[in-house]
Amino acid sequence: MDPFTTLTGLVAPLDRLNVDTDQIIPKQYLKTVQRTGLKDGLFYDWRCMPDGTPDPTFFMNQARFSGVAILLGRDNFGCGSSREHAPWALLDYGIRCVIAPSFADIFYNNCFQNGMLPIVLPEDAINELFCSVDATEGYQLTVNLDAQTITRPEGQLIQFVIDPFRKSCLLSGLDTIGLTLEYEGDIAVYEAKRKTDVPWLFPS
Amino acid sequence: MSGRTMFEKIWGGHVVRENEAGTTLLYVDRHLVHEVTSPQAFEGLKLAGRTVRHPEFTLAVPDHNVPTTDRSHGIADPSSAKQIDALEKNCREWDIPFFALDDHRQGIVHVIGPEQGFTLPGMTIVCGDSHTSTHGAFGTLAFGIGTSEVEHVLATQCLLQTKPKTILIQVDGTLSHYCSAKDIILAIIEKIGTAGATGYIIEYAGSAIRALSMEGRMTLCNMSIEAGARAGMVAPDECTIDYIRGRPLAPAGKAFDAAAEAWRQLSTDSDATFDRVLELRAESIAPQVTWGTSPGMGTAVDQYVPDPKTITDDRLRVATEQALDYMGLTSGTPITDISIDKVFIGSCTNGRIEDLRLAAKYAKGKKVHQRVHAMVVPGSGLVKRQAEDEGLDQVFQEAGFEWREAGCSMCLAMNPDVLKFGDRCASTSNRNFEGRQGKGGRTHLVSPAMAVVAAIEGHFVDIRSWIHSQP
Ligand code: SF4
């Protein structure tokens, strides 16, 4: 996994509540056996009109948002299915950070597994950012994970909160499976005890 | 020491170690695997030179992608076929128990787990699928994970987790004869919203929950994720124990008795506290129909399509307008005036034998409306066989419903069962998101009984009065 330290990038708005993972990456793109190449499916049903032509009102079809790295969202972002294809598709499109007032649990978690940073900010701060993005072409933000700050081009700093364990994993690009495997001893001890406590779970 | 909730007992029993910074290494007793969210996990395992720690604690089945028509000649869609082949190949390579497409036990992962006795009280169960919450009906801590975590569990049989908070949803009283677990959970989601329980584990309790069958409890826990909770749970009782007894993978003989005794101790202590409590009267719950594009956008069948103008919150108003626009509905329309084109009965929410029995009860001797295309998709091969033994397939087919092979089918429409643009569907599944059942398709979530009467009449009807108007 690539580490996430700082990111300066173009911000695009997605002003909808409850953006679900079926929208982020529709099912027809789930038939892959790979993690890459999913950008073609990103927000496909919102990006394209029923006849397949691009919907000019959607951010992905607007020149000013080409090269987006940070997505601004609303409450309950990433709800629905557990498909990790959702963060994979965002990442494949170049989006490494999503800022929203709240995220659905599984999506939130899946982001960290892929070197992406989901940032929770209060509603007011989000509203201000939506206004700024709307008003300023080429609006960029700088995210500093170590300092837990977002720097606005106007100069203000926004502080954000993040779980310290997730933060350190992201900063170092840590392989969490490797980490768990280091506790092989603890797992073996646990399994031996569990076998005595609940023997019916260990059919011979 | 104050008492513990069922969740705390199970969580506490699975802590391998507490890591720095408040993360827990949690042991996973059982792992269910399906074709869509696993190939990248197996590939990752291989690339890192790792192995599967406990293939015997794992069970795999193809379900999401499988056609529900005759599949004896293989799968026409090459990418679906490739995914299903990959699952089979990976399971053979790693020695993971696997139900193949032609195995009579094949079915939706959340139907076969309980059916096989793979799901037992007190366990932790995970699966790369958000509706893993279903298994919580047994007093199991069960939740959905992403593909990276699937890989983590395959390699270590553990997961790194932060402890969620708990919410008690207490439903007391007697549920109307015409309502079911589906109406309870839809009413709860409407009340608390689709993010209402984000960060929480739900425990459902109260006399109305106790009165539910295991199938009903599964329907209830299944849709916990639609309320934002990763898991929902119901304490095991004699109903649970009776359901498990004799299942192929359940303990037998003395081991079963010992297990059952332990399961009886799992329920929440009387002096335990929850972070939040929500109380509901079962009598207040009417048959539900969703009108929007989020499972919380629903109402009682005797109500009307809402008017966004009356909503003061800006974003909620816009979301409601967008939903009504997508759904092609006009404010103020009685729910019972909404005509439908398709009916889908099935899914991990309502594709079990009890659901089909109930649906067949209302379908018996009736005819599906001429405009409506209706299908019944059993949740598993065993559910299908059982239904056929009881003659339910005949009832459905005589009424004009299609009778299909087991799978996820039109719940997510990854297989050929897809709504056409603009089609309006009464569906017993769990998600009414835009395009969920096909691009431009419009989904209304309902119970199996409500789906059947809608199929017969061609529009939604209040089953409570409909039943009395029948000859
Ligand atoms: S039936 Fe639907 S919700 Fe359930 S596992 Fe299959 S696709 Fe997911």
Side-chain angles (χ1 to χ4, degrees):
Chain A
M1 187 178 86
D2 291 337
F4 187 111
T5 49
T6 60
L7 171 70
T8 299
L10 187 68
V11 187
L14 185 52
D15 197 356
R16 288 185 81 121
L17 288 175
N18 304 318
V19 170
D20 61 74
T21 53
D22 274 79
Q23 288 310 332
I24 299 175
I25 184 85
K27 59 203 148 249
Q28 62 269 33
Y29 294 94
L30 305 186
K31 294 184 187 178
T32 172
V33 292
Q34 288 163 339
R35 288 176 204 246
T36 50
L38 284 160
K39 65 169 178 281
D40 295 342
L42 182 67
F43 293 119
Y44 186 83
D45 286 351
W46 281 343
R47 185 148 49 99
C48 299
M49 312 280 257
D51 63 1
T53 56
D55 176 351
T57 64
F58 196 65
F59 81 87
M60 286 171 70
N61 297 319
Q62 296 172 358
R64 61 175 286 205
F65 297 119
S66 138
V68 52
I70 301 172
L71 188 63
L72 197 56
R74 292 289 184 189
D75 263 318
N76 204 20
F77 192 96
C79 61
S81 141
S82 67
R83 58 187 74 164
E84 202 161 311
H85 309 69
W88 293 339
L90 288 164
L91 200 59
D92 202 41
Y93 192 72
I95 296 171
R96 288 202 71 195
C97 176
V98 184
I99 307 177
S102 64
F103 291 89
D105 283 341
I106 305 180
F107 175 83
Y108 185 75
N109 199 34
N110 282 342
C111 284
F112 288 100
Q113 308 283 350
N114 292 282
M116 286 175 66
L117 176 62
I119 299 178
V120 176
L121 287 185
E123 185 94 38
D124 290 350
I126 298 275
N127 286 340
E128 275 185 41
L129 288 176
F130 267 103
C131 290
S132 303
V133 172
D134 196 39
T136 329
E137 192 140 336
Y139 192 80
Q140 294 209 347
L141 290 172
T142 296
V143 177
N144 183 325
L145 176 58
D146 191 34
Q148 296 181 215
T149 56
I150 301 170
T151 313
R152 302 178 60 175
E154 302 90 324
Q156 298 107 304
L157 273 188
I158 308 173
Q159 206 74 38
F160 63 88
V161 181
I162 181 171
D163 171 82
F165 178 73
R166 293 188 195 274
K167 176 178 168 179
S168 72
C169 290
L170 263 193
L171 281 173
S172 59
L174 187 73
D175 163 21
T176 53
I177 300 180
L179 181 73
T180 298
L181 286 171
E182 283 176 26
Y183 300 123
E184 164 60 34
D186 299 71
I187 302 173
V189 168
Y190 175 86
E191 284 180 337
K193 180 173 181 308
R194 188 125 179 97
K195 214 165 175 165
T196 346
D197 292 351
V198 281
W200 58 86
L201 293 189
F202 293 78
S204 45
Chain B
M1 196 179 108
S2 76
R4 291 184 303 161
T5 63
M6 169 170 52
F7 161 74
E8 282 159 349
K9 291 179 191 182
I10 297 176
W11 177 277
H14 287 86
V15 176
V16 173
R17 80 187 292 280
E18 304 278 2
N19 287 353
E20 314 67 44
T23 312
T24 302
L25 190 61
L26 198 72
Y27 196 72
V28 174
D29 291 316
R30 294 292 186 267
H31 185 191
L32 289 157
V33 173
H34 67 80
E35 78 277 23
V36 177
T37 57
S38 67
Q40 295 87 349
F42 284 112
E43 185 200 46
L45 214 56
K46 236 169 275 178
L47 286 176
R50 292 171 177 147
T51 66
V52 178
R53 184 179 180 90
H54 282 299
E56 77 280 20
F57 293 170
T58 314
L59 177 61
V61 68
D63 56 2
H64 282 64
N65 239 324
V66 305
T68 56
T69 44
D70 177 23
R71 44 204 190 200
S72 53
H73 307 296
I75 297 175
D77 177 347
S79 42
S80 293
K82 192 171 164 201
Q83 234 177 17
I84 292 166
D85 287 347
L87 180 67
E88 181 151 4
K89 211 173 112 283
N90 283 321
C91 289
R92 285 200 204 296
E93 183 172 346
W94 302 103
D95 234 359
I96 293 171
F98 172 74
F99 293 168
L101 194 54
D102 57 359
D103 189 311
H104 65 283
R105 297 167 299 177
Q106 179 272 340
I108 305 170
V109 70
H110 309 308
V111 175
I112 66 159
E115 194 169 75
Q116 292 298 319
F118 184 80
T119 304
L120 299 173
M123 279 180 169
T124 47
I125 301 185
V126 299
C127 171
D129 189 281
S130 58
H131 289 99
T132 308
S133 58
T134 311
H135 308 264
F138 290 79
T140 302
L141 176 60
F143 52 90
I145 56 178
T147 298
S148 298
E149 289 182 313
V150 168
E151 187 179 335
H152 202 129
V153 176
L154 287 171
T156 69
Q157 206 60 33
C158 293
L159 270 181
L160 287 161
Q161 293 288 301
T162 28
K163 195 175 177 180
K165 290 180 283 202
T166 54
I167 174 169
L168 172 68
I169 299 185
Q170 174 93 13
V171 191
D172 282 309
T174 312
L175 192 66
S176 153
H177 194 60
Y178 304 110
C179 288
S180 60
K182 183 65 164 284
D183 300 298
I184 301 182
I185 188 64
L186 285 173
I188 290 172
I189 299 165
E190 195 215 326
K191 201 177 172 78
I192 69 173
T194 46
T198 301
Y200 289 83
I201 299 291
I202 303 174
E203 178 173 345
Y204 301 96
S207 56
I209 306 297
R210 283 285 133 233
L212 293 175
S213 64
M214 286 316 295
E215 281 89 348
R217 295 176 194 184
M218 285 189 250
T219 302
L220 184 76
C221 290
N222 172 276
M223 288 191 71
S224 302
I225 185 74
E226 271 67 52
R230 276 180 90 178
M233 309 169 87
V234 175
D237 56 13
E238 295 313 307
C239 168
T240 320
I241 292 168
D242 288 343
Y243 180 97
I244 297 168
R245 191 177 284 116
R247 305 246 161 212
L249 299 175
K254 281 207 177 63
F256 183 82
D257 297 336
E261 207 30 55
W263 297 338
R264 291 188 183 97
Q265 314 303 318
L266 282 170
S267 49
T268 294
D269 298 331
S270 56
D271 55 344
T273 53
F274 290 82
D275 297 299
R276 266 170 72 195
V277 177
L278 177 79
E279 288 175 355
L280 222 73
R281 288 299 306 177
E283 292 82 3
S284 71
I285 297 170
Q288 302 285 307
V289 180
T290 66
W291 48 260
T293 53
S294 169
M297 293 174 166
T299 188
V301 63
D302 54 5
Q303 297 299 304
Y304 303 84
V305 175
D307 183 358
K309 286 200 283 297
T310 62
I311 301 173
T312 46
D313 182 282
D314 285 349
R315 249 169 300 289
L316 209 56
R317 187 177 55 250
V318 172
T320 306
E321 283 164 358
Q322 282 166 341
L324 293 184
D325 183 46
Y326 179 86
M327 293 297 287
L329 292 174
T330 313
S331 307
T333 308
I335 296 291
T336 49
D337 278 4
I338 301 174
S339 300
I340 53 156
D341 315 297
K342 294 268 162 67
V343 169
F344 169 63
I345 296 174
S347 86
C348 61
T349 312
N350 281 130
R352 297 185 181 77
I353 188 67
E354 189 190 80
D355 300 309
L356 303 193
R357 284 185 191 132
L358 190 72
K361 185 177 115 185
Y362 292 109
K364 197 174 172 76
K366 298 282 191 294
K367 285 273 178 252
V368 167
H369 190 278
Q370 51 177 13
R371 197 191 49 246
V372 175
H373 173 260
M375 62 198 275
V376 183
V377 184
S380 73
L382 290 176
V383 168
K384 179 168 188 262
R385 184 180 281 185
Q386 173 77 28
E388 288 172 353
D389 286 348
E390 295 178 20
L392 306 184
D393 58 324
Q394 290 304 321
V395 172
F396 287 125
Q397 281 169 324
E398 277 161 23
F401 288 85
E402 282 184 24
W403 180 246
R404 296 294 190 90
E405 299 293 330
C408 292
S409 180
M410 207 190 267
C411 173
L412 94 162
M414 242 183 117
N415 74 345
D417 308 334
V418 180
L419 289 186
K420 291 200 300 288
F421 198 90
D423 267 356
R424 190 180 294 288
C425 179
S427 178
T428 67
S429 57
N430 44 53
R431 286 184 177 141
N432 51 356
F433 298 153
E434 285 186 18
R436 170 80 177 182
Q437 297 189 297
K439 186 166 170 134
R442 294 158 172 166
T443 303
H444 296 270
L445 303 176
V446 289
S447 71
M450 286 284 288
V452 169
V453 294
I456 296 163
E457 298 298 336
H459 57 86
F460 291 111
V461 284
D462 190 336
I463 190 169
R464 295 167 299 184
S465 41
W466 180 83
I467 210 84
H468 301 295
S469 66
Q470 295 307 298

